[in-house]
Amino acid sequence: GENVEQHPSTLSVQEGDSAVIKCTYSDSASNYFPWYKQELGKRPQLIIDIRSNVGEKKDQRIAVTLNKTAKHFSLHITETQPEDSAVYFCAASRGDMRFGAGTRLTVKP
Amino acid sequence: SQTIHQWPATLVQPVGSPLSLECTVEGTSNPNLYWYRQAAGRGLQLLFYSVGIGQISSEVPQNLSASRPQDRQFILSSKKLLLSDSGFYLCAWSVPGQGNQPQHFGDGTRLSIL
């Protein structure tokens, strides 16, 4: 089955800096890659997703890139703000979604 | 629009007691339904998923079970809780039959076993 690895497990940046979280997946048939943000004690919420026919997608300060050949995808957050502090999960799916272990992002004011 | 409801929000149970967590989805028909567990500070562990009434697939063998008595109702149960069952339980739904779609999570149930 699919195996998703996510790095780093923790990330601390200064407000205004960029943050990058990387994920690799094992199943080349995976074709859908969502990213979720989970604030403390709350439910994971979808923030952006990308499908395998697209290499990059942007939504304001967040972007996701996908390299199908290398089987990795990344989340980029620019101009980080304290409210970006949360745990971020990547996932890969070809019908059955598998999640990475999460990255705890801390943005210091 | 679609909404997902989970209850209770928090639950404290003694070891060996039974469990029933309920999840319902509104605004869609025949959703795919999922139960996840999240230990403190950890990732999402898929426990069960269902593609239709009475159809349950188990990902991890353990003392939990799931049932789907109605199209938009998903129940997580246990006959005897263990200390290791503590965690944050999340129900999620996704649109069926349209290729890969995002999963949408409920607000979760925080379960503490004493």
Side-chain angles (χ1 to χ4, degrees), chain A residues 11-17 19 79-86 88 105-109:
Chain A
L11 179 60
S12 182
V13 300
Q14 208 64 39
E15 182 177 359
D17 288 350
E79 300 171 29
T80 54
Q81 301 167 3
E83 50 265 39
D84 294 329
S85 296
Y88 291 81
L105 173 65
T106 302
V107 180
K108 299 177 185 176

Side-chain angles (χ1 to χ4, degrees), chain B residues 20-100:
Chain B
S20 181
L21 303 181
E22 191 159 341
C23 171
T24 59
V25 179
E26 295 176 0
T28 186
S29 296
N30 197 32
N32 293 333
L33 295 172
Y34 311 85
W35 277 112
Y36 288 88
R37 176 169 61 201
Q38 189 175 32
R42 305 292 295 275
L44 298 162
Q45 179 188 28
L46 179 63
L47 301 175
F48 301 95
Y49 67 94
S50 171
V51 298
I53 295 174
Q55 300 178 62
I56 309 294
S57 296
S58 173
E59 287 287 307
V60 182
Q62 53 201 321
N63 68 318
L64 299 172
S65 62
S67 62
R68 185 169 177 173
Q70 299 180 45
D71 181 43
R72 290 168 290 173
Q73 184 185 29
F74 206 23
I75 297 172
L76 182 69
S77 304
S78 175
K79 292 182 180 177
K80 284 178 101 171
L81 286 167
L82 307 173
L83 279 173
S84 58
D85 290 324
S86 292
F88 191 42
Y89 287 81
L90 290 155
C91 181
W93 72 275
S94 67
V95 176
Q98 294 186 24
N100 288 311

Side-chain angles (χ1 to χ4, degrees), chain A residues 31 36 38 43 51 93 95 98, chain B residues 38 59 100 102-103 106-107:
Chain A
N31 55 14
Y36 288 83
Q38 186 179 29
R43 61 190 168 101
R51 299 184 187 278
S93 178
R98 292 291 181 254
Chain B
Q38 189 175 32
E59 287 287 307
N100 288 311
Q103 292 181 17
D107 288 330

Side-chain angles (χ1 to χ4, degrees), chain A residues 33-87:
Chain A
F33 307 91
W35 286 88
Y36 288 83
K37 176 184 179 182
Q38 186 179 29
E39 296 178 2
L40 189 63
K42 301 206 173 167
R43 61 190 168 101
Q45 291 193 291
L46 179 72
I47 55 171
I48 195 168
D49 57 9
I50 192 168
R51 299 184 187 278
S52 59
N53 58 344
V54 176
E56 182 175 359
K57 185 176 178 181
K58 283 181 97 169
D59 183 3
Q60 298 181 10
R61 295 187 297 108
I62 60 173
V64 57
T65 58
L66 171 65
N67 183 326
K68 285 167 50 181
T69 304
K71 290 190 281 189
H72 66 69
F73 56 113
S74 301
L75 178 71
H76 305 253
I77 307 174
T78 58
E79 300 171 29
T80 54
Q81 301 167 3
E83 50 265 39
D84 294 329
S85 296
V87 178

